[in-house]
Amino acid sequence: MADAKVIPFDDDRPRPPRRRSAAARDTAVSPLPGRQRTPLEVAQTASETASGAPEGRGGAEGAQEAQGAAGAAPGAESARSGWERRLAGGLAFLRRRVTGEYDVDEFGYDEELTDQVLMSLLRPMYEKYFRVEVKGIENIPAKGGALVVANHSGTLPLDGLMMQVAVHDNHPAGRHLRLLAADLVFMLPVVNELARKAGHTLACAEDAERLLSRGEIVGVMPEGFKGIGKPFGERYKLQRFGRGGFVSTALRAGVPIVPCSIVGAEEIYPMIGNAKTLARILGFPYFPITPTFPWLGPLGALPLPTKWTIQFGEPIPTDGYPAEAAEDPMLMFNLTDQVREQIQHTLYKLLVQRRSVFF
């Protein structure tokens, strides 16, 4: 029999790490009979068993890995269930659209389509592009009708759409803004249908009064085409507010008037000229010429990414007037002038506070 090779104790050759069985580890961790292992020791044992960690593996590190593995499963399950809920909701929405199981009011307003699709399309422009800041949203009543009166600017009526998103996304009671739009909006093929679906209706006293009597929030921009088509040199100078028809409508319905001031829309398309002959040929109220349009073609139609502020002012009550007040021209003139002055004063105040057009 060959002599066994004796390895001295001081041999410094590398040796492979020893691995212990689960039973041996349990015994090593809890050598005393009847002793209950601590949660940290249990986590360490579980971590070593799963990963085959060597004997010298730190307990705290093993416990962290075990806790991470235990928490990963619920998180992944929650994310998966969230996606499943969204997918199920999307499929249910498509099914209702195909089968016609959705409601549209007498004006053509489709609330579900507006909430699920139209607001989602406008929200990136509202949040990321114009970075709209909203103030005074609490001045819009939580229930009942109200007439929101705002300045109008920007060459294209994007300010009305941004105001609609502002009310939809920020009002604590989840109110919806129904805008009164000009005749031109409902003469355009695709725009007409989308405007109706989004809750817009013709800017006439009859439609506005019907909406207000139903407790809706109605938005109107009395400057009309004079506001959005004014040259850049007259920016933030309010034009004439028509003949005060919106005041008469609010008096008949007995709803408050909420002035609204919008800063930032004037600079999205700086209008430096107006091709009036071309506008008459096309049937438009004006044909804008800006530093980028029509020189850059379709690229020039992109609005500049200005920073917006929308502020809703203190409501002006109208329910304290008698029924015949809606026919009083002097009262209508005074209330119209009061609303106009409040909007103009707020515009100047916001312009003084603004640090930059774009930031």
Side-chain angles (χ1 to χ4, degrees):
M1 180 176 178
D3 295 337
K5 186 176 181 180
V6 179
I7 300 176
F9 288 106
D10 58 349
D11 190 303
D12 57 353
R13 286 177 296 175
R15 295 176 175 81
R18 292 184 300 159
R19 298 182 182 274
R20 298 178 296 172
S21 64
R25 278 191 297 269
D26 291 345
T27 305
V29 173
S30 182
L32 299 178
R35 176 177 175 266
Q36 298 294 326
R37 293 186 298 162
T38 65
L40 184 60
E41 294 168 344
V42 174
Q44 178 183 1
T45 303
S47 175
E48 291 180 357
T49 304
S51 60
E55 181 178 359
R57 188 64 174 256
E61 183 179 352
Q64 291 175 359
E65 291 182 0
Q67 293 171 0
E77 183 67 25
S78 176
R80 184 163 54 251
S81 62
W83 278 107
E84 290 173 353
R85 284 195 299 269
R86 282 192 287 270
L87 179 60
L91 292 176
F93 171 78
L94 291 176
R95 180 185 59 79
R96 289 192 297 271
R97 307 313 296 185
V98 172
T99 58
E101 299 176 7
Y102 57 90
D103 297 325
V104 177
D105 71 2
E106 56 186 302
F107 297 94
Y109 175 47
D110 191 333
E111 183 175 351
E112 184 184 42
L113 182 68
T114 301
D115 290 341
Q116 301 294 328
V117 179
L118 300 181
M119 290 294 108
S120 299
L121 293 176
L122 292 172
R123 196 167 288 117
M125 179 177 287
Y126 172 88
E127 294 179 347
K128 306 298 183 182
Y129 199 78
F130 294 135
R131 294 148 290 146
V132 181
E133 179 184 0
V134 179
K135 300 180 179 180
I137 191 68
E138 67 279 359
N139 289 320
I140 297 178
K143 59 182 180 178
L147 184 65
V148 178
V149 182
N151 60 306
H152 207 11
S153 61
T155 305
L156 290 181
L158 297 179
D159 49 359
L161 298 177
M162 295 300 103
M163 185 170 64
Q164 187 178 12
V165 180
V167 176
H168 181 276
D169 287 2
N170 294 279
H171 198 280
R175 303 300 303 267
H176 292 254
L177 180 66
R178 308 288 296 270
L179 288 173
L180 302 180
D183 302 3
L184 180 62
V185 172
F186 301 101
M187 294 170 59
L188 303 175
V190 178
V191 176
N192 170 31
E193 187 67 21
L194 290 176
R196 289 288 185 188
K197 294 291 186 183
H200 305 176
T201 190
L202 192 64
C204 63
E206 292 78 12
D207 284 1
E209 194 168 347
R210 285 164 62 194
L211 286 171
L212 290 172
S213 63
R214 288 168 38 177
E216 299 281 358
I217 303 294
V218 178
V220 62
M221 296 174 164
E223 291 178 281
F225 290 122
K226 301 187 301 294
I228 57 176
K230 64 177 177 288
F232 187 66
E234 298 180 13
R235 60 191 180 278
Y236 298 114
K237 295 178 181 179
L238 293 182
Q239 306 298 301
R240 188 172 65 89
F241 271 19
R243 294 184 297 273
F246 69 91
V247 171
S248 176
T249 302
L251 286 170
R252 286 193 181 93
V255 299
I257 300 174
V258 180
C260 177
S261 302
I262 304 174
V263 166
E266 293 275 16
E267 295 89 0
I268 60 173
Y269 294 111
M271 187 169 167
I272 58 177
N274 181 14
K276 296 182 179 180
T277 303
L278 186 57
R280 282 195 298 269
I281 294 174
L282 297 175
F284 295 158
Y286 56 89
F287 189 88
I289 297 176
T290 73
T292 59
F293 183 82
W295 326 113
L296 300 181
L299 187 62
L302 289 175
L304 297 178
T306 58
K307 175 73 171 63
W308 287 33
T309 301
I310 299 178
Q311 178 162 336
F312 298 94
E314 291 285 341
I316 300 173
T318 64
D319 54 354
Y321 295 96
E324 61 273 12
E327 308 299 331
D328 186 350
M330 186 57 66
L331 176 61
M332 285 193 296
F333 174 80
N334 290 336
L335 285 176
T336 301
D337 190 59
Q338 180 182 353
V339 174
R340 187 179 182 277
E341 287 299 321
Q342 187 168 338
I343 295 175
Q344 185 69 79
H345 176 73
T346 305
L347 285 175
Y348 288 148
K349 183 176 67 174
L350 292 175
L351 288 172
V352 170
Q353 296 173 354
R354 184 171 67 167
R355 296 178 300 170
S356 169
V357 173
F358 298 101
F359 304 102

